Amino acid sequence: MLPLALSLTGCGGGRDKLPNIRYAAVSPAGELLAAPTMDADAYRAAMLGWFDRADTNHDGRLDAAEMRADAGRAFKLYDQNGDGFVTSAEMTAYRVNSPYRVPPVQGGGRIRPGRLNLTADEADTASRDSQGRPQYRMGIDPVMSADANADFRVTLAEFLAQMAIRHGQMDRNGDGVVSREEFLAFADGPMRAWREE
């Protein structure tokens, strides 16, 4: 399952906080939604805010057409030169320029699980495992993972195909729509997995 929020932990009621873990609210289409936070409630509010915006007919459910429309809107954000393709360089530029970007990691520390990329400086200063590799965990990039033909760029068609799969993953009861509850369960999934580790 693709993690929607790239740095997720802890689930449950109230002000769920765990030390040194940041929740990164990211839409199913990879759009950064809020600044990283250690507050699970703030994370969920950002995720549900996205859901409410994507739910254009305001029926409390996302159908496939609403998911495609949101993906098309996000694709235009990422395709910064308007050539019909999204590259990793464009995604990096989008993320670096976002007010919600993950701040750089301080030297010597463990790189947080939510990072999608690692700069050369961060790799040089990251703590190392027993084999000398930087200690970090990479999330699956929700945009670049749509590159079906491995040409290092994502077309709108590839991206929409990925979003159709993602919609199906969120639609737990198979009725063709994603309810708020199904979406929140999908968004909270990586939190549950982390707790079980």
Side-chain angles (χ1 to χ4, degrees):
M1 169 162 56
L2 175 74
L4 293 178
L6 303 174
S7 179
L8 301 176
T9 61
C11 182
R15 294 246 177 236
D16 217 356
K17 294 182 183 182
L18 293 173
N20 301 321
I21 302 296
R22 293 178 291 180
Y23 302 87
V26 178
S27 79
E31 185 177 359
L32 304 178
L33 302 174
T37 179
M38 294 177 71
D39 185 336
D41 291 338
Y43 158 75
R44 289 186 187 102
M47 294 299 282
L48 289 173
W50 169 84
F51 182 95
D52 292 341
R53 288 187 300 277
D55 178 18
T56 56
N57 66 3
H58 308 293
D59 66 353
R61 305 177 313 164
L62 283 181
D63 60 34
E66 288 169 320
M67 188 83 167
R68 276 192 307 275
D70 182 75
R73 180 194 56 75
F75 189 87
K76 288 178 185 175
L77 291 174
Y78 310 145
D79 182 15
Q80 296 185 356
N81 65 5
D83 67 355
F85 302 98
V86 175
T87 65
S88 60
E90 286 174 310
M91 286 308 303
T92 297
Y94 162 75
R95 291 176 178 131
V96 165
N97 292 315
S98 171
Y100 306 130
R101 68 184 176 275
V102 176
V105 174
Q106 299 303 313
R110 180 178 168 87
I111 294 173
R112 306 231 187 265
R115 296 304 302 280
L116 286 176
N117 53 25
L118 183 66
T119 68
D121 289 340
E122 289 169 344
D124 287 341
T125 61
S127 58
R128 304 283 170 170
D129 67 13
S130 62
Q131 296 178 348
R133 298 173 299 208
Q135 289 189 18
Y136 65 99
R137 290 194 285 172
M138 301 279 281
I140 297 172
D141 189 304
V143 179
M144 296 312 296
S145 63
D147 179 14
N149 63 357
D151 65 353
F152 303 102
R153 57 189 191 169
V154 175
T155 65
L156 179 59
E158 287 174 320
F159 194 55
L160 293 177
Q162 176 106 331
M163 292 305 104
I165 292 168
R166 192 133 327 122
H167 186 269
Q169 291 170 332
M170 293 187 294
D171 179 15
R172 292 178 175 227
N173 65 6
D175 65 356
V177 294
V178 177
S179 68
R180 284 173 62 90
E181 293 77 19
E182 286 174 318
F183 174 68
L184 193 55
F186 184 80
D188 281 356
M191 292 184 196
R192 286 190 304 274
W194 186 91
R195 286 231 168 176
E196 292 168 3
E197 285 182 359

